[in-house]
Amino acid sequence: MQVTLENSFNLEQPIEKVWAFLSDPTKVAPCLPGAEILEVVSKTEFKGGVKMKLGPFTTQFKGEVIIEHLDDQAHEIRMVGKGKDARGTGSATMVITGKLTELPGGGTEMVSTSELTISGKLAQFGSRMIQDVSKTMFQQFTETFAERLQAETEGREAAPAQADAVSVTELAGAVVKGAMGRIFGKDKN
Amino acid sequence: MSEITSESLGGIGQSVKRKEDLRFILGKGSYVEDFYLPGMVYGCVVRSPFAHAKINGIDSSEALKVPGVMAVITAKELEGANLSWMPTLAGDTQAVLADKKVHFQSQEVAFVIGETQYAAADGAEAVEVDYEELPVVVDPFKALDPGAPLLRDDKEGQKDNHIFNWQAGDKEATEKAFQNAEVTVSQSTHYQRCHPAPMETCGCVADVNPGTGRTTIYITSQAPHAHRTVLALVSPLKEHTTRLVSPDLGGGFGNKVPVYPGYILATVASLTLGLPVKWIETRSENIQSTGFARDYHTTMELAATKDGKITALRVKTLADHGAFNAQANPMKWPAGLFSICTGSYDIPNAHVEVDAVYTNKAPGGVAYRCSFRVTEASYAIERAVDLLAGELKMDPVQLRKKNFIQPDQFPYTSVTGWEYDSGDYEKAMQVALDLVGYEDLRKEQAEKRAKGELMGIGISSFTEIAGAGPRKDFDILGLSMNDGAEIRVHPTGTVTARFGVKSQGQGHETTFAQILAEELGLPEADILVEEGDTDTAPYGLGTYGSRSTPVAGGAAVLAARKVREKGMKIAAHLLEVSEADIEWKNYQFQVKGAPAKAKTMAEVAFAAYTNAPPGEEVGLEATYYYDPPNFTFPFGTYICVLDIDNKTGEFKIRRFVAVDDCGTIINPMILEGQIHGGLTEGLAIATMQEIRFDDQGNCLNGSFMDYLLPTAVEVPNWDLDRTVTPSPHHPIGAKGVGESSNVGSPAAIVNAFVDALSHLGVTNIEMPVTPWKIWQLLHEKGVA
């Protein structure tokens, strides 16, 4: 199944700093819950993994990340991550594009799209939740991205990378809360 | 002695309480899961997460390290026994375990045996399969594209994804009738893929005993004899030393007709380990991998005169059969009885064409509470007639009346070749119209429309074809579709009767006892009905397609009459008259003209073992294998009345009237229960159920969280009534009723939805009709 998410958010950092961070998968990957870069093959090729917990089983996607398009002038990047579970329970492909624009006043706007295609157990059992789960994951990604970028700029040690398995069940809990919030009008978005 | 009556016996037509219910209420039923044999171990299937992928390798080493895991079986192990592929009921082949590639998500890839269910499940998680994903074919129309990936490259000579083309009727005459027609209508529709989802999933306990040389398999089977024969044909097992026991079944609805890989795997595992092996599906495994139903993409067309006389029917279907052609249909009839799609109408020209294709979906094509594709046929014609009524601006009732086959036309041979046994369609329809108050409802509808309120009245006047079937034409893998009954009358006048069919909740233990009570003059309470054990039951092809009463019911009657024939001789001996002077009357053997001189069946039974006439064999038993001369054709009219909220699309079924005619009624109470069940499933199909896939072939609703079953909250009150038009060829005139209500109801419900929105220009809504779909339509039309 396929989920496409579009997202835009503003960062207080100048564009070049954000770009330096965004164009380095070793920095970006740890912002995604459960993800890590295991090996830098070349400037544009990386090996990595994502751990996810769905109920009783943990699935570990291992694969590669390739930067397909990198434009330092236009501040555009397109990364394709492909992975499959070692035990053969599924596969996932994620295409992430990012584009930065300088904001008046020194900040940066980041517009990104992510297109997630998954097959296997996650798609089978999570079809009802995957859209919301992806959204929540992406929100966490955004927050961590901003936080780690800020930490790096300030020269302090970033919080350790969260390479623990991300629990889809916990995310689903957050999703349910979000949905309840929507129903009861707490979430004004 | 008091007079013996049908009522005192609990004979035909009596609402005898179901004998089987007590044990279910007390929790004393015995399902496959209830069998625990000494030393039993457990199997768990490793299933494919992908819809189409090459298997580069399977590594079982980690699984074998899991504590309690005893063995892992893959296709490689099966190849040695020539069991990695098995035949399907449709004469295709199906992988028991995928060897070179997987063809659908959840396909069986390996089988892990563990000392406990937990060990087996943990072991299954640890099996590592190296898949290489291949392009997936989900859309059956795209399956026929020239560039489409070839799914069944295992089949020699298979060049594309096409399975068969099947036609019935007269193509040329139909084309001509369409060319000359004053009015034509056409509608494409999808009778969606759904799943019977019985409460009990499939499973078995296989016990291959190396000591006795006997194999016993407790199995969720609607057709234990047929399944045993298939096993004997494909495996080293011998039929006479193999015993299949189908105990209490928690529903079947066609889902327990096919032979599933799990049965074979548990048996192979038991053979290998010398221990009993239990394998029981989870709910998700059941929904995702076992026999689905329907999935017919159909274009139906009618030609008619301006005043509403139908002149021709044309039906073209693309059938999505999934990865293996495993539908349960007789060999000569690849689209089953689909050509019954002329329905209750006297249509002079018809042409029906079905093409079937392979896709990357689970195999199946079972008849979900219907007789071999009859529901799809009934839906097509009943929707088409409403479409024509809309086009002609004619009341759908009047249009139906104008085209019904008339009572004096029976036996009626349809243009697609079926000989309808009996019917009075207008009578059944009139009962339904009167019961629902049709004229008043139409007036109310007009008033509501004027106020912008939405109300719909949907009609379906279906004709079913049940009781497969006459052996000249019908078989499953070459086996004649006939069924046996065996009666043993014991010395004390009680009876053990055994059948080749297999109840899954139909109440055979009660209804067959009632038929025998009526025929033998013994109380139903003294008649024990047994089914499902191949060691004891006479041969038969099982229960599905509403065939138990039409076929096994016929066998019961004729076996009982054989018992009576012998009883005449014994009674003559006891009464010291000649056999010619004895008659069977008032449920006993009487001397003609002297009814006071009589012997009951119980007295005759005692004499059969104590005082048999000289030269006569001792005992009172009979066996009969019944070959029905024709099908039976149950029919009826259903009317659904519903209201729709014009802002939200939510709906409420206000009335549902079901008038059924299934010929002679054996037990009115069981009949009502059957109709309630079928209507509830019909409602589920019409408004809730669809097995959906995404573009990658992931099954999107493989659990009850997303695949819905109706509960008491959604189910309306069912108003039932009936007419009785006996079948002229069945020994007691019975036609079968288990499935009519599922066959007839979806069209009535969808017709009601379309009727409610027809003034907005809506001519079709695809099942399942949900509030969301209705809201979208209302929104599109500017109403909501």
Side-chain angles (χ1 to χ4, degrees), chain A residues 1-2 57-58 84-91 117-121 123-125 127-129, chain B residues 49-50 105-106 125-133 284 288 694 696 698-700 702 705-706:
Chain A
M1 67 176 309
Q2 216 165 41
F57 70 86
T58 305
K84 61 180 179 179
D85 180 76
R87 286 173 182 168
T89 63
S91 70
T117 309
I118 50 174
S119 279
K121 279 194 178 172
Q124 256 171 302
F125 296 109
S127 71
R128 187 187 267 256
M129 293 193 289
Chain B
F50 301 112
Q105 190 181 55
S106 291
E125 278 283 300
V127 172
E128 292 185 6
V129 185
D130 181 8
Y131 295 104
E132 187 180 318
E133 286 179 76
S284 291
Q288 294 182 348
D694 66 13
Q696 289 75 42
N698 294 304
C699 176
L700 296 181
M705 191 160 119
D706 299 289

Side-chain angles (χ1 to χ4, degrees), chain A residues 1-152:
Chain A
M1 67 176 309
Q2 216 165 41
V3 182
T4 306
L5 293 172
E6 283 180 33
N7 206 324
S8 86
F9 56 99
N10 294 347
L11 295 151
E12 285 167 15
Q13 308 294 326
I15 191 163
E16 288 312 325
K17 281 204 169 149
V18 181
W19 178 247
F21 197 89
L22 177 67
S23 55
D24 183 352
T26 62
K27 288 183 177 163
V28 174
C31 301
L32 192 70
E36 59 181 336
I37 292 289
L38 299 168
E39 190 188 334
V40 180
V41 181
S42 74
K43 269 187 172 176
T44 55
E45 287 171 283
F46 306 84
K47 284 188 177 167
V50 180
K51 277 187 208 160
M52 278 187 170
K53 220 169 128 40
L54 180 69
F57 70 86
T58 305
T59 170
Q60 186 170 19
F61 292 113
K62 278 192 179 169
E64 51 180 22
V65 179
I66 292 171
I67 298 177
E68 285 193 346
H69 172 73
L70 188 74
D71 187 336
D72 286 324
Q73 299 308 309
H75 300 111
E76 282 176 358
I77 187 166
R78 180 182 152 89
M79 286 183 278
V80 179
K82 274 186 192 168
K84 61 180 179 179
D85 180 76
R87 286 173 182 168
T89 63
S91 70
T93 304
M94 196 171 196
V95 181
I96 300 178
T97 64
K99 181 172 168 49
L100 303 181
T101 316
E102 204 163 3
L103 290 171
T108 306
E109 184 196 40
M110 177 162 151
V111 178
S112 74
T113 62
S114 63
E115 194 183 271
L116 178 67
T117 309
I118 50 174
S119 279
K121 279 194 178 172
L122 262 182
Q124 256 171 302
F125 296 109
S127 71
R128 187 187 267 256
M129 293 193 289
I130 218 82
Q131 181 94 23
D132 279 349
V133 167
S134 315
K135 206 172 138 189
T136 310
M137 271 179 74
F138 210 76
Q139 255 165 19
Q140 285 192 9
F141 169 78
T142 318
E143 281 162 23
T144 317
F145 186 93
E147 148 68 22
R148 291 177 72 88
L149 175 63
Q150 182 71 26
E152 193 181 84

Side-chain angles (χ1 to χ4, degrees), chain B residues 27 116 121 140 252 319 360 380 421 450 459 547 573 585 656 696 725 735:
Chain B
T116 64
N360 288 122
D421 58 351
I459 297 153
R547 63 187 299 280
H573 171 65
K585 212 172 168 185
F656 196 103
Q696 289 75 42
T725 311
K735 291 188 171 186

Side-chain angles (χ1 to χ4, degrees), chain B residues 446-616:
Chain B
E447 287 161 15
K448 289 216 154 136
R449 267 189 194 169
K451 289 190 278 183
E453 292 173 21
L454 303 172
M455 167 186 169
I457 306 160
I459 297 153
S460 164
S461 286
F462 64 93
T463 287
E464 216 200 335
I465 174 167
R471 75 166 181 230
K472 62 182 190 311
D473 268 339
F474 286 83
D475 68 277
I476 295 283
L477 286 177
L479 303 167
S480 301
M481 296 195 73
N482 297 163
D483 261 84
E486 182 205 278
I487 300 172
R488 290 185 192 177
V489 187
H490 307 302
T492 52
T494 61
V495 176
T496 301
R498 297 188 171 112
F499 294 87
V501 289
K502 174 61 204 157
S503 176
Q504 308 120 46
Q506 288 88 341
H508 290 178
E509 289 167 45
T510 311
T511 48
F512 285 152
Q514 287 182 260
I515 293 175
L516 294 177
E518 186 79 23
E519 291 292 329
L520 296 173
L522 293 167
E524 55 80 24
D526 288 347
I527 300 168
L528 175 75
V529 170
E530 285 187 353
E531 295 177 346
D533 186 339
T534 56
D535 260 12
T536 54
Y539 204 87
L541 283 212
T543 293
Y544 40 86
S546 284
R547 63 187 299 280
S548 297
T549 298
V551 187
V557 173
L558 296 173
R561 289 180 188 169
K562 273 170 90 172
V563 166
R564 268 186 1 213
E565 268 172 45
K566 182 166 182 186
M568 298 288 253
K569 291 187 178 67
I570 299 167
H573 171 65
L574 294 177
L575 292 163
E576 297 177 333
V577 294
S578 84
E579 200 190 324
D581 291 330
I582 299 284
E583 62 180 349
W584 176 258
K585 212 172 168 185
N586 300 322
Y587 302 99
Q588 58 185 351
F589 300 99
Q590 292 180 179
V591 175
K592 284 179 189 167
K597 289 187 75 182
K599 289 289 171 193
T600 63
M601 182 61 85
E603 289 167 326
V604 163
F606 195 69
Y609 296 89
T610 58
N611 182 19
E616 199 57 48

Side-chain angles (χ1 to χ4, degrees), chain B residues 44 62 76 108 149 262 321 506 664:
Chain B
C44 183
E62 288 301 315
K76 209 189 272 175
E108 298 80 0
H321 279 215
Q506 288 88 341
T664 303

